[in-house]
């Protein structure tokens, strides 16, 4: 049983690590970005509401995002834990998540932060944009998403740090090495908080 959260700037390799960790730990990956993208391509009402925010690299308003996460965390496959990817991204989302978990008597075991410097991020995302054609991977949108990450999400990570459940790994290292360090860090935090 592991309840995990993964955070990191766009292009840090967070998505790749999220896939690998969810597979290795046998827990579902809940990526708010993927959920929004799938609503967008299915042209659901939620997708239509979220489109302009995704295209601009802006955060989708909390009431939409948190309702989507709350509903997802109620599904049966999260009984054995989960890996939340890309949520919470703001302090108010963090408070909402605390409330959602508290109401079902749950807590997070660990928060994994995947780090990378800005130039490496921009380089990787421009490459990804050519490969995948994501509308939010132009250089100005990338820089905007990075700024939002610094302003809105880093305070969230710092607060988890103060709770003593944060594990930071360097996302620019070899991909297997990042996964191994992450797994080791998560186990260390779990062992420490279990005592
Ligand atoms: P990601 O793939 O995690 O970078 O997310 C892609 C886009 O989805 C973001 O730029 C936001 O527009 C939206 N999004 C994903 N997660 C959140 C969140 N927790 N709060 C608000 N918007 C989000």
């Amino acid at each position: 049983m592991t309840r995990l959260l993964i955070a990191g700037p766009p292009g840090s390799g967070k998505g790749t690590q999220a896939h690998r960790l969810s597979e290795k730990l046998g827990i579902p990956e809940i990526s708010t970005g993927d959920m929004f993208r799938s609503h967008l391509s299915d042209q659901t009402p939620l997708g239509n509401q979220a489109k302009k925010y995704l295209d601009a690299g802006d955060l989708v308003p909390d009431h939409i995002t948190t309702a989507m996460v709350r509903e997802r965390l109620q599904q049966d496959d999260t009984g054995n834990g989960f890996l939340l990817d890309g949520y919470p991204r703001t302090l108010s989302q963090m408070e909402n998540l605390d409330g959602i978990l508290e109401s079902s008597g749950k807590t997070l075991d660990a928060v994994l932060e995947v780090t990378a410097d800005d130039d490496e991020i921009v380089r990787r995302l421009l490459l990804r944009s050519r490969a995948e054609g994501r509308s939010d991977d132009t250089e100005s949108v990338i820089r905007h998403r990075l700024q939002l990450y610094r302003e809105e999400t880093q305070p969230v990570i710092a607060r988890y740090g103060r709770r003593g459940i944060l594990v930071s790994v360097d996302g620019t290292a070899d991909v297997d090495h990042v996964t191994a360090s992450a797994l080791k860090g998560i186990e260390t935090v779990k062992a420490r908080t279990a005592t």
Side-chain angles (χ1 to χ4, degrees), residues 141-192:
V141 175
I142 291 168
R143 295 219 180 260
H144 178 55
R145 291 165 69 211
L146 279 174
Q147 186 194 354
L148 273 180
Y149 183 79
R150 266 195 298 269
E151 288 171 2
E152 304 281 352
T153 310
Q154 274 177 347
V156 174
I157 295 174
R159 201 180 277 187
Y160 283 123
R162 289 194 289 277
R163 288 188 189 173
I165 57 168
L166 182 65
V167 176
S168 291
V169 290
D170 174 7
T172 58
D174 165 76
V175 72
D176 288 330
H177 182 80
V178 181
T179 309
S181 313
L183 285 168
K184 201 166 145 210
I186 292 162
E187 280 317 308
T188 307
V189 166
K190 280 180 77 176
R192 196 172 59 218

Side-chain angles (χ1 to χ4, degrees), residues 10 14 31-34 36-37 53-54 57-62 65 85-89 93 128 134 136 145:
K14 162 179 80 82
S31 155
T32 44
D34 284 352
F36 282 129
R37 278 185 289 277
Y53 302 102
L54 266 87
D58 277 328
L59 295 179
V60 178
D62 277 3
T65 311
D85 172 2
Y87 183 95
R89 263 171 151 95
Q93 290 183 1
R128 181 170 87 186
R134 273 178 56 161
D136 57 356
R145 291 165 69 211

Side-chain angles (χ1 to χ4, degrees), residues 14 43 55 80 93 108 127 130 174 183:
K14 162 179 80 82
Q43 298 189 346
D55 284 350
N80 249 337
Q93 290 183 1
L108 286 177
L127 282 176
R130 270 172 234 135
D174 165 76
L183 285 168

